[in-house]
Amino acid sequence: MLEIACNLSRIRASLPEGATLVAVSKTHPAEAIREAFDAGHRIFGESRPQELCAKYEVLPKEIEWHMIGHLQTNKVKYIAPFVRMIQSVDSARLAETIQREAAKCGRTIDILLEIHVAQEETKSGWNVGELKRYVETAAFSSMPNVRVRGVMGIATNTDDERVIRRDFGELKRCFELLRPYFGGRFDTLSMGMSHDYPIAVECGANMVRVGSSIFGERDYTSKG
Ligand SMILES: *Cc1c(COP(=O)(O)O)cnc(C)c1O
């Protein structure tokens, strides 16, 4: 079996039933995604709009593309025609822009609310209190083309499992806190990456975003 296919089936086998695996293909070439696609995988995550559009153009249209990286409002229009889910919604302005661009395309776009729980300041996401206040203004009820499906987050980058569990526990609490405002369609808790997804699943994740364990290490120094 080819390496990518092999990695995929190993990871799939380690996930509980009902957990969704997003294969994070950022920086990897279209051929690598094609290999995963040929092995039956359909859900891929990218973190840059331009790269996402380029891959969308050349790859099969059955692919479900998830935007997982920080998204500038002026880039939303490029991905709105086809993106399935935007996991990195970290501001009111971004949500409102997605509403506008999705409406222009006559589409409904699924989103996740990205919450900041890690110790690093560099990571993006809502502060939970701010987000709760925003949700309480019922702002999302005037966004018919945006479907809020749940919460996304990234744990602190550390080997200390207690810190990772605390971060994932915090995300799970945020998910439970916000769920009553959205009802049954609010069903997705996206947390866990290559190094920590087994812990994330133990803490309640039902979507994990795995890149390097599928496609190998990323090389940020070479272009393309
Ligand atoms: C890159 C990235 C991942 C995947 O990271 P790996 O460590 O390669 O599994 C997951 N989530 C987000 C938001 C990312 O940017």
Side-chain angles (χ1 to χ4, degrees), residues 24 26 47 68-69 114 152 154 192-195 209-213 216 218 220:
V24 177
K26 64 188 183 193
S47 58
I68 62 167
E114 181 175 358
M152 183 271 247
I154 304 171
M193 305 168 35
S194 291
H195 68 286
R209 310 174 308 269
V210 179
S212 36
S213 292
R218 285 180 292 278
Y220 283 109

Side-chain angles (χ1 to χ4, degrees), residues 3-78:
E3 195 179 343
I4 290 172
C6 190
N7 292 340
L8 272 169
S9 60
R10 188 188 67 247
I11 293 165
R12 277 206 210 100
S14 74
L15 292 173
E17 206 178 320
T20 301
L21 173 62
V22 178
V24 177
S25 48
K26 64 188 183 193
T27 77
H28 295 284
E31 300 83 75
I33 301 175
R34 169 62 84 169
E35 191 179 324
F37 181 86
D38 290 342
H41 201 75
R42 293 294 177 269
I43 307 176
F44 295 89
E46 288 281 335
S47 58
R48 293 188 183 144
Q50 204 176 356
E51 186 175 341
L52 175 50
C53 290
K55 288 172 175 170
Y56 168 74
E57 288 301 325
V58 301
L59 285 159
K61 296 297 176 270
E62 300 96 295
I63 290 178
E64 217 181 274
W65 293 103
H66 287 213
M67 177 68 195
I68 62 167
H70 181 69
L71 180 58
Q72 291 172 273
T73 52
N74 63 350
K75 301 283 168 61
V76 174
K77 57 178 179 283
Y78 301 116

Side-chain angles (χ1 to χ4, degrees), residues 4 32 47 87 91 97 111 125 139-140 144 162 164 183 197 209-211 224:
I4 290 172
S47 58
Q87 298 204 8
S91 73
T97 306
I111 69 162
F140 287 106
R162 284 167 310 174
I164 296 172
Y197 80 85
R209 310 174 308 269
V210 179

